[in-house]
Amino acid sequence: MAYEGRGLTRRGFIGLGSAAVFAAGAAGLAGCAPQSRKESKGSDKAARADSGAVAKDSADETRQTDIVIVGAGGAGMWAAVEAVDAGKSVIVVEKGQNVGVSNGSIAGGPFMVQSQLQKDAGITLTVNEAVEHIMDYAHWATNAAAIRAAVELSGDTIDRFTRDFGVATGLRPDNYGAGHASVRANFQSDPKDSKTQAKGEDRMGPLQAHVEGKGGEFLFGTTGKALLVDNGAVRGVQCEVDGKVVNIEAKQTIVCTGGFLGNAEKMQEHFGTHVNPLGNILSVGEGIDMVKAAGGQLSTQWGIAGNEFTGSNQNANGVWNRKSAAFTIGIYGTLLVNNQGRRFSNEGRFANLPLALGGAISLLGGQYYAIVDQKYVDGLASGVDAWTLCGSDEVNWRTGSMTLKGKPLENVQEEMDKAVAEGWAFKADTVEALAEAIGAPDLTKTLDEYNGYCAAGEDGQFMKPACFLQPVAEGPFYALQYEPSAWVTIGGIRTNDHLQAIDAKGLPIEGLFVAGADNGTLMSAPYCDYEGYSLSCARTAAGAWRASTPQPPSSLTAPSPHGLVSRPPLVGRGRPHVRVGMPVRSRARFSKLPQRYSARREFGMRTDLRVWSLHCETAPKRKLTRNSALSSGVCT
C-alpha cells in the first residue's frame, strides 16, 4: 500500500476545544519528519518501551482508511464531520459503547464568539477581545495561533449544531464576569427552555448519523493502544477490541482520547496529590502515551478544570454533593488551611473563580481543610444563602451573586453531622482539640491571626476581600477535609499551530495530530476563566488538518531557509520536480499536475496557517512491511 498525500482545507481542523478544546478533532495533517528522527531510531524505540505504548508485531485484523480518529469526544466527532465532508474515508475508534460518554457530550456548553445567538441578542464580543483575554490570562504561554483559530470557529460551530444537526442551542448567563451578557452556549433538550440540557447521544448522535451517512465508521468498545510508526512517520493506530488486535492503517491519525482524568497514578504523578474525577474516567492517558512513544513532546502546562460547585472527598458518600453544606462550604471563601493548619491562598479568589483558579489553588492545598464555627453553620441553616451571609458583595463575589443568590441550602446541620459521622469532617469544642483531631499543630496560631484580620476588616496576609472575612470564634468548631476534584485534566502533547505533534526539535511528526484534552498547548494552567473554554477548542483539530496537506517522507526533501525549496532526488524518470530555489508563491501552478504532491511548511516560514511550500513526491509506491527498527508494524 502506498500512502498518497491528499490534503484538506483549513476550516476542518480548527473548531470547538476541551472537547479539542470542544471538538478539537483534526483531519488534516502531516508534517515532514526531519532527518534527525531517522538517525535516532534507538532512542525512539527506547522511549516506546518506557511508555508501554509499543505496537505488537502482528495483528488479527488490518483495516485501511484515509483518516483514523482515536476518541469520539467533542474533538473526535467534529474531526470526523469535517473529514467526511471533505470526501475522506474515516474510522473513529472509541473505547466507550456510544458517542454519549465523553465530556464533550455531557458538559454544560462551550464558550463562543460571534455566534448567531449572540448577534441576535446584540452581544458584541469580538474575536480579538476574546483572544487577547485568553492569551493574557495564560501569560502567552499557550498556542496563540491555534487558540485564535478555535475562537474564530467557535460561533459557527454552535450555529452548525442547530442549523445542520438539529440540536437546539441557547445562551447561558455570564457567571464569571466576562463583561458580556453571554459568552457560553447551552445545548437544550427543550428549544424553548434554556434551563434544559441535551446530553449524551441526544447531543452527539446527530453528528454520528451525519458521519455514518457519508460512509464514516465507528468502532465502539475499541481502545487505541499504540501508533503505527514507519521511519518516523505515523501511519495509523493499533487497537484492541474483544481480545483481538486490530491495525488501522491511515494516511493521517488524530489522537483525541480526552486526557487522563481516569488515571489516578498519572494525576498523582503530575499534580502531586489525589484528584477526584468528576468527568469521563474512560480517559486514562493512552493517547498521550502513544504520541510520546512516537517521539512527541510533552507540554509545559499541567493542571485541572476544578469543581465549581463544591469541595470533594473520596471517603465521603458520593464524593461531592452540591446540595450539601458540608461540601459547598469549600467554595464559599471561608478559611482554608493545609494539613499543617496554615493558610495557603486567598480564599476569595477560589470562591470567585472556582472552576479556573479554584482548581489550581486546590492542587496547591492538596489535602486541605475549611475551618468554620457554629455561628457560620447556624447562619447557613437560617435560610440565608451563602452570598447574602457574606455581605452581598457583587464586585468581589460576582460568581456568588450569579449562582448562589436566593438559593439557601437545606438540612445544613444534618449534612454537617453526616460528614462528621462519615469520618471526613471533624468537630470539636475548642480550637486546640480541633487542631489535634486533624493533626494540624499550627491551626491555633493561624486562627488567632485570622480572627484578627476579621476584626480589622482587612486581610493582612493574602488580601482576601472583607466580605469573606468571617471570624471563627464561637464553638463548636468544624474542619471539613477536601481534596481537589476535576472535570478534565490540562496537559498533554505539545503541538504546533496546526495541532501536529512535534518532536524534540520542534518539527512536526508526519501524519500525527493531537486534539482535545490530549493537546497540551491549548489550555493554560490555571484553566481559563471563560466558562466552557475547553469545549470551544474541539473543532480546532478539524480545521487544522484541513490547513495541512500530507507530505513526502523526510528522506526525499530537506528544509531550506528563506522560503525556498530544495530539489528532491529524482527517483524514476519523466516525473516533474520543483526547481531548486524557486520561491514558494511561484510554485502554485504545480498544484494541478497529475503527480502526487504534498505540502510542507518550510522551516523559517511565518507561522500562518495559509503559508505552505510544495514538494513533489517522487518516491515510487511501496508495500506495507513491518519496520523492525521501530517494532511498529507499518509502512516502509
Side-chain angles (χ1 to χ4, degrees):
M1 173 182 175
Y3 289 99
E4 290 191 16
R6 300 179 189 174
L8 306 177
T9 67
R10 172 180 189 224
R11 182 167 180 177
F13 196 48
I14 293 177
L16 206 41
S18 148
V21 196
F22 180 74
L29 317 145
C32 254
Q35 183 70 26
S36 60
R37 288 182 55 75
K38 296 176 64 180
E39 295 171 352
S40 60
K41 292 179 181 177
S43 61
D44 199 24
K45 183 177 180 181
R48 293 170 59 83
D50 289 345
S51 72
V54 181
K56 297 180 180 179
D57 293 344
S58 62
D60 299 303
E61 180 183 353
T62 298
R63 307 279 300 275
Q64 287 86 30
T65 187
D66 289 333
I67 298 168
V68 60
I69 300 167
V70 188
M77 293 302 294
W78 273 105
V81 166
E82 299 283 2
V84 296
D85 285 352
K88 302 300 175 182
S89 60
V90 177
I91 294 177
V92 181
V93 174
E94 169 55 45
K95 182 188 290 187
Q97 297 302 315
N98 55 60
V99 297
V101 299
S102 72
N103 285 349
S105 69
I106 61 177
F111 170 76
M112 60 182 177
V113 177
Q114 296 182 341
S115 67
Q116 192 59 51
L117 288 168
Q118 290 167 306
K119 293 175 183 177
D120 292 345
I123 297 170
T124 59
L125 176 64
T126 67
V127 169
N128 283 352
E129 179 185 346
V131 171
E132 185 174 26
H133 177 84
I134 293 167
M135 294 310 302
D136 282 347
Y137 185 90
H139 298 284
W140 290 83
T142 49
N143 195 327
I147 287 169
R148 183 178 184 90
V151 173
E152 288 175 345
L153 283 177
S154 62
D156 179 67
T157 299
I158 299 306
D159 295 345
R160 288 197 64 187
F161 260 108
T162 299
R163 182 185 67 236
D164 298 347
F165 303 116
V167 179
T169 54
L171 298 172
R172 297 186 65 143
D174 176 22
N175 291 330
Y176 275 19
H180 297 271
S182 177
V183 297
R184 189 183 188 191
N186 182 48
F187 297 107
Q188 299 176 193
S189 56
D190 182 347
K192 297 181 179 180
D193 187 352
S194 62
K195 294 183 179 180
T196 62
Q197 286 196 351
K199 294 186 176 184
E201 292 182 279
D202 289 341
R203 183 183 300 181
M204 289 300 179
L207 278 69
Q208 178 186 353
H210 177 86
V211 171
E212 291 178 330
K214 291 194 172 186
E217 183 177 1
F218 288 80
L219 302 181
F220 294 111
T222 303
T223 303
K225 302 299 290 187
L227 294 172
L228 300 175
V229 181
D230 167 48
N231 202 23
V234 171
R235 303 300 188 193
V237 64
Q238 186 170 92
C239 306
E240 293 183 1
V241 54
D242 296 330
K244 295 194 306 181
V245 176
V246 179
N247 281 356
I248 302 176
E249 297 166 356
K251 302 174 182 71
Q252 295 142 348
T253 300
I254 303 166
V255 176
C256 42
T257 64
F260 51 98
L261 190 64
N263 191 323
E265 291 183 1
K266 279 190 179 294
M267 289 198 288
Q268 183 77 39
E269 174 188 351
H270 288 291
F271 308 137
T273 188
H274 174 79
V275 177
N276 293 309
L278 307 175
N280 178 16
I281 59 173
L282 290 176
S283 299
V284 296
E286 290 154 325
I288 295 171
D289 287 344
M290 286 191 289
V291 177
K292 182 181 176 184
Q297 284 193 51
L298 292 179
S299 65
T300 59
Q301 303 280 324
W302 298 90
I304 60 173
N307 185 348
E308 73 270 43
F309 301 115
T310 74
S312 72
N313 189 293
Q314 61 185 314
N315 297 315
N317 182 16
V319 182
W320 68 290
N321 183 349
R322 62 191 300 179
K323 294 183 179 181
S324 168
F327 289 100
T328 59
I329 283 174
I331 63 162
Y332 286 172
T334 56
L335 172 65
L336 300 180
V337 300
N338 59 22
N339 55 15
Q340 286 84 51
R342 299 192 293 270
R343 292 179 73 195
F344 56 89
S345 189
N346 180 328
E347 299 91 347
R349 294 294 182 90
F350 193 130
N352 205 38
L353 292 174
L355 182 68
L357 293 181
I361 293 171
S362 70
L363 289 178
L364 180 65
Q367 186 183 82
Y368 60 99
Y369 297 87
I371 308 297
V372 295
D373 64 3
Q374 190 63 50
K375 180 180 179 180
Y376 184 81
V377 173
D378 290 344
L380 291 177
S382 69
V384 177
D385 65 79
W387 177 73
T388 301
L389 188 64
C390 281
S392 306
D393 191 330
E394 294 185 356
V395 175
N396 290 302
W397 198 8
R398 175 188 168 83
T399 302
S401 70
M402 295 294 293
T403 62
L404 302 176
K405 183 179 180 181
K407 299 176 182 179
L409 293 165
E410 298 179 354
N411 305 316
V412 173
Q413 188 62 59
E414 178 182 337
E415 291 295 331
M416 296 292 286
D417 293 341
K418 179 181 176 181
V420 172
E422 290 177 350
W424 60 274
F426 303 85
K427 181 179 180 180
D429 291 331
T430 67
V431 172
E432 291 77 12
L434 188 66
E436 182 177 356
I438 65 175
D442 293 338
L443 180 61
T444 302
K445 179 181 178 182
T446 297
L447 273 177
D448 286 342
E449 294 176 349
Y450 184 77
N451 286 333
Y453 301 146
C454 294
E458 182 177 355
D459 182 357
Q461 185 177 17
F462 294 138
M463 292 70 69
K464 180 165 70 171
C467 67
F468 295 107
L469 291 174
Q470 304 288 324
V472 184
E474 298 183 18
F477 303 94
Y478 297 85
L480 300 150
Q481 184 188 80
Y482 299 124
E483 299 149 342
S485 54
W487 298 108
V488 67
T489 54
I490 297 168
I493 298 299
R494 186 179 175 193
T495 69
N496 62 17
D497 52 342
H498 292 257
L499 305 198
Q500 294 169 285
I502 58 177
D503 65 13
K505 293 190 175 182
L507 297 176
I509 298 173
E510 182 179 344
L512 180 58
F513 292 75
V514 183
D518 289 343
N519 187 302
T521 65
L522 291 168
M523 290 190 285
S524 65
Y527 179 64
C528 182
D529 60 347
Y530 279 147
E531 280 191 288
Y533 170 73
S534 69
L535 296 181
S536 70
C537 302
R539 195 169 151 209
T540 302
W545 66 256
R546 305 194 69 164
S548 311
T549 307
Q551 313 162 35
S554 59
S555 59
L556 298 180
T557 61
S560 61
H562 313 305
L564 303 180
V565 177
S566 301
R567 176 178 178 177
L570 292 177
V571 181
R573 301 176 60 184
R575 304 180 72 179
H577 60 273
V578 180
R579 187 173 69 250
V580 175
M582 183 179 291
V584 172
R585 292 193 177 96
S586 68
R587 297 195 309 277
R589 65 182 184 276
F590 284 98
S591 63
K592 296 183 179 180
L593 290 174
Q595 285 72 25
R596 292 177 293 142
Y597 283 86
S598 59
R600 181 181 203 283
R601 183 187 312 194
E602 274 303 290
F603 185 78
M605 295 289 291
R606 67 190 180 95
T607 58
D608 190 293
L609 290 174
R610 303 173 181 83
V611 179
W612 296 87
S613 59
L614 299 176
H615 288 275
C616 175
E617 184 179 333
T618 57
K621 293 185 177 181
R622 300 173 293 173
K623 296 181 179 180
L624 274 177
T625 63
R626 173 177 168 273
N627 185 312
S628 58
L630 290 179
S631 299
S632 61
V634 126
C635 177
T636 60

